[in-house]
Amino acid sequence: METNVLFYKIHKGTVSTEDYVNWSHSLLEKNVSTPSLNILSSFSFDDNPFEVEVYFKRALEELAIKEPTFEICARAYIGLLANRIIKANDYTKIFNLAHKIFQIVATELYLSDDLSVWFEISEMIDRLDFDDKSFVLKEDDIISRIKNEAQILQRLNH
C-alpha cells in the first residue's frame, strides 16, 4: 500500500491493522527496512490497531517520512480507485468506484478543476440510473468514458 493512501485512510478514520501491515510489507518488498518496520510487518491483521500504530509512527520517524498534505493523500486514493476501475469488468463496480471518486472530488477537493470531469461522469450515471429518456448515451459509452478518465488519472499519477 502506498504511503499517501495509508495517510488518506488515517485522515478519514478508516485505517485498519491490515492497512498498516500491508504498508509495511509493500516497503519491505522494495527493500526498505528499519527495526520498527520489521516489527510492524510481523503483526497479524487481528492485532490491536493502537499497538500497531505505535510501530507505524516509529517507522515513519526512522524513515524520515513526513505526513503529506490531505490533498496529496486524497489524490493518491483517487489514483487507487482509478486503478481499480481500469481492472474492473463489472459495470456496477465501475459505477460505484466512479461515484467514490466523485464524492472525494466534490466534498474533499473543492477547487480541483483538473478533476471536474468526475462531476460530469456522476451526472451521466445519475441520468442513466433514473432512466432519463432524453439522455442519449448508453451504459457502454459511460463505462468507456469512465475507464478513459481513469487511465488519464493513472498517467498523471505516475
Side-chain angles (χ1 to χ4, degrees):
M1 171 178 295
E2 183 188 335
T3 301
N4 294 338
V5 170
L6 181 62
F7 272 110
Y8 178 79
K9 290 183 169 197
I10 292 168
H11 279 288
K12 298 301 288 179
T14 61
V15 70
S16 67
T17 297
E18 183 176 352
D19 294 324
Y20 288 120
V21 173
N22 286 339
W23 174 80
S24 69
H25 291 171
S26 70
L27 289 178
L28 291 171
E29 288 170 3
K30 296 174 185 171
N31 294 320
V32 176
S33 179
T34 71
S36 296
L37 190 64
N38 294 339
I39 293 169
L40 181 58
S41 70
S42 68
F43 281 95
S44 79
F45 296 160
D46 297 324
D47 284 329
N48 183 319
F50 298 110
E51 186 177 356
V52 172
E53 191 173 287
V54 168
Y55 286 97
F56 168 71
K57 289 179 180 179
R58 287 181 189 168
L60 290 177
E61 287 179 25
E62 293 165 358
L63 295 166
I65 295 175
K66 302 288 183 212
E67 184 173 341
T69 66
F70 180 75
E71 181 172 349
I72 289 171
C73 297
R75 286 178 177 274
Y77 191 68
I78 288 172
L80 175 81
L81 296 174
N83 190 40
R84 290 179 181 167
I85 286 172
I86 293 166
K87 293 177 180 176
N89 293 319
D90 175 65
Y91 82 91
T92 302
K93 185 173 185 173
I94 293 168
F95 284 176
N96 287 338
L97 291 166
H99 182 70
K100 286 180 181 182
I101 291 175
F102 165 73
Q103 289 297 317
I104 294 168
V105 171
T107 63
E108 298 171 6
L109 299 175
Y110 307 107
L111 300 173
S112 297
D113 289 340
D114 61 320
L115 298 171
S116 62
V117 68
W118 294 94
F119 284 92
E120 183 181 332
I121 288 171
S122 177
E123 184 177 316
M124 292 164 62
I125 293 169
D126 287 347
R127 291 180 76 183
L128 183 67
D129 285 346
F130 293 109
D131 197 27
D132 185 343
K133 300 294 184 204
S134 66
F135 190 57
V136 294
L137 285 179
K138 301 295 179 223
E139 189 175 278
D140 289 342
D141 297 329
I142 298 171
I143 288 173
S144 177
R145 174 78 186 276
I146 292 168
K147 285 198 174 253
N148 182 53
E149 292 301 330
Q151 289 172 341
I152 291 169
L153 280 174
Q154 283 303 99
R155 285 194 296 272
L156 293 175
N157 286 337
H158 287 122

